[in-house]
Amino acid sequence: MILKFVFDRLVALIGLLFLWPVLLVVAILVKVKMPGGPAFFVQKRVGKNGKLFNCHKFRTMTVKHNGSTVSVAGDSRITPFGSTLRHYKIDELPGLWDVLRGKMSFVGPRPDVPGYADNLQGSDRDVLKLRPGITGPATLKYRLEDEMISEYVAQKQKAGDNRPMQEIAVEYNDTVIYPDKVRLNCYYYRHYSFVKDIQMILCTVLGKKMEYNGELI
């Protein structure tokens, strides 16, 4: 994957050189529209070989919230402006810095908080052999993850489930979405293709779908 590593560093550098005005404007808007907190959200995530690193994003939530790692569309913790940033994946742009410093890749599994990827067992731990990615097969398939979880929560509540929204959301993530992400990411590791990397990046930027491992993502 030497070509992948060189590509990541070079394109991340070019991206930062060209997009720094956009990053600056978004950072200012975050401070203006969501006062009382930093423009950037920095959190420890699990990286390659299980090593922790500081992952950078634009802040999309209120400063004070319950800290749950699973969010849903309409989540009161997410501000209106933050919702827009998340929908168009603009909150991910600071990740270019993480790619440049070699902590992330453009394509790979999403960087997890401790308690998920680092707890994988057996062959599923192949996921940890990869640098986390800004996009990837699982990210493409679940690009509207917040909305999917929100719809599931609404269905459960309509059926009489009186548990808190976050509890239902975490259950759905842990039993359905996350295992499927692991399956996709393991396939990505075992059948790596630089051409597919480029295709995933283009599909992410253009908002398109692609066929991967016999399914549309």
Side-chain angles (χ1 to χ4, degrees):
M1 294 187 179
I2 295 177
L3 179 59
K4 176 183 178 71
F5 186 74
V6 173
F7 172 86
D8 284 340
R9 293 291 187 90
L10 180 60
V11 177
L13 177 59
I14 294 172
L16 287 170
L17 289 175
F18 277 93
L19 293 176
W20 72 262
V22 177
L23 293 168
L24 178 60
V25 170
V26 175
I28 292 173
L29 287 174
V30 170
K31 293 290 289 183
V32 171
K33 292 182 175 292
M34 294 185 283
F40 297 97
F41 173 71
V42 183
Q43 188 179 51
K44 291 289 185 182
R45 297 292 177 96
V46 179
K48 185 177 181 180
N49 298 321
K51 296 180 179 179
L52 297 181
F53 73 99
N54 286 325
C55 181
H56 298 79
K57 295 184 179 184
F58 281 120
R59 181 169 63 89
T60 60
M61 292 187 176
T62 57
V63 177
K64 296 181 179 179
H65 57 76
N66 63 15
S68 174
T69 59
V70 179
S71 59
V72 301
D75 193 324
S76 61
R77 301 173 302 166
I78 304 173
T79 69
F81 183 61
S83 180
T84 299
L85 295 180
R86 290 165 75 101
H87 182 78
Y88 293 102
K89 307 303 180 185
I90 298 173
D91 63 315
E92 303 282 355
L93 287 179
L96 289 171
W97 170 246
D98 295 320
V99 175
L100 180 63
R101 64 197 187 107
K103 300 300 182 180
M104 289 183 64
S105 173
F106 277 105
V107 182
R110 292 297 299 144
D112 286 325
V113 295
Y116 281 89
D118 50 329
N119 286 343
L120 292 173
Q121 300 296 320
S123 61
D124 286 346
R125 291 186 67 81
D126 281 349
V127 173
L128 292 173
K129 297 176 183 178
L130 295 163
R131 285 185 177 80
I134 293 177
T135 189
T139 304
L140 284 173
K141 183 174 181 178
Y142 292 99
R143 69 185 79 197
L144 299 178
E145 182 177 335
D146 287 1
E147 288 84 351
M148 293 171 64
I149 294 177
S150 179
E151 182 178 344
Y152 176 81
V153 170
Q155 291 175 350
K156 294 289 286 186
Q157 292 179 332
K158 186 177 181 179
D161 193 329
N162 296 318
R163 289 177 297 166
M165 177 179 67
Q166 285 299 322
E167 185 176 336
I168 300 174
V170 170
E171 177 189 73
Y172 184 54
N173 175 75
D174 292 358
T175 60
V176 178
I177 293 180
Y178 189 71
D180 193 43
K181 287 181 177 180
V182 172
R183 176 186 65 83
L184 279 167
N185 289 325
C186 283
Y187 180 88
Y188 172 79
Y189 171 75
R190 295 162 192 157
H191 302 83
Y192 176 70
S193 165
F194 183 72
V195 173
K196 286 292 184 182
D197 268 11
I198 300 301
Q199 189 177 359
M200 288 182 206
I201 292 171
L202 291 175
C203 285
T204 300
V205 173
L206 300 175
K208 302 292 185 179
K209 291 182 177 292
M210 62 178 280
E211 186 174 330
Y212 188 73
N213 189 23
E215 61 181 305
L216 198 63
I217 60 173

